[in-house]
Amino acid sequence: MLKCFATSAGGLSELLREELMSLGAEEVKAQPRGVTFEADLETAYRACLWSRLANRIFLTVLEVELENQEELTTEVAKIDWSQHMDSYGTFSVSFSGKGMGIEHTNFGALKIKDGIVDHFMDKNDERPSVNTDSPNLRVHGHLIRNQLTLSIDLIGYSLHQRGYREGQQVKAPLKENVAAALLMRAGWPAIAK
């Protein structure tokens, strides 16, 4: 089973927990800003496709306690990144949290980027490129004190952006996932049946 985390808007964690359980997720636990769950890859992708409440769905690839800043890059380099992208592919890194002297998100992202590049350089002397606009793989690191969680964004963009309004410039009064939560809370799925 894979460890995953689905982010949600504030106050929607419990509704998202119920939705993920209905999609087949296991060990589902609501958190303040999302839901942790376990799933096989099929169920994780089903959640990406059918969740109406999640913002993003992350696949956790590393949870580790670090001794120092240098260990951050070393631990990231130990992951077999070739299972997730090619050495000629592109990636981007986002970072949140603080700890071990890492006070800026750009510095934390840089340390993770260095670990991914080191992995490919050590393996086949090829270097993947960073592309912040349209990468093949989006990686997110979160650090609390010395606890690092490293995840892959299974979608690559926020799920509230479903893509059906690509040509329109009109802003919606509510994000689609918040509107879906209002309808679910009001019992609309049962009424519509």
Side-chain angles (χ1 to χ4, degrees), residues 1-8 12-22 24-39 43-44 47 54 56-60 63 142 144 149 151:
M1 287 298 225
L2 305 170
K3 286 186 175 183
C4 299
F5 184 75
T7 63
S8 68
L12 299 185
S13 295
E14 187 58 36
L15 272 178
L16 177 57
R17 183 186 73 79
E18 293 170 12
E19 181 185 58
L20 290 171
M21 288 173 52
S22 73
E26 298 177 12
E27 301 296 323
V28 186
K29 294 183 180 100
Q31 306 291 327
R33 298 299 273 166
V35 175
T36 59
F37 65 99
E38 292 183 6
T43 303
R56 294 179 183 270
I57 297 180
F58 293 102
L59 170 65
T60 303
E63 290 180 306
H142 183 70
I144 299 176
T149 302
S151 305

Side-chain angles (χ1 to χ4, degrees), residues 4-7 37 41-52 54-59 92 133-140 151-163:
C4 299
F5 184 75
T7 63
F37 65 99
L41 194 57
E42 179 183 340
T43 303
Y45 280 128
R46 186 180 311 117
C48 292
L49 182 62
W50 292 108
S51 175
R52 296 294 169 242
N55 286 330
R56 294 179 183 270
I57 297 180
F58 293 102
L59 170 65
S92 70
D133 293 328
S134 181
N136 300 119
L137 184 72
R138 289 184 191 269
V139 177
H140 180 73
S151 305
I152 293 173
D153 189 337
L154 290 179
I155 296 295
Y157 55 87
S158 183
L159 286 173
H160 84 273
Q161 302 168 331
R162 300 291 175 169

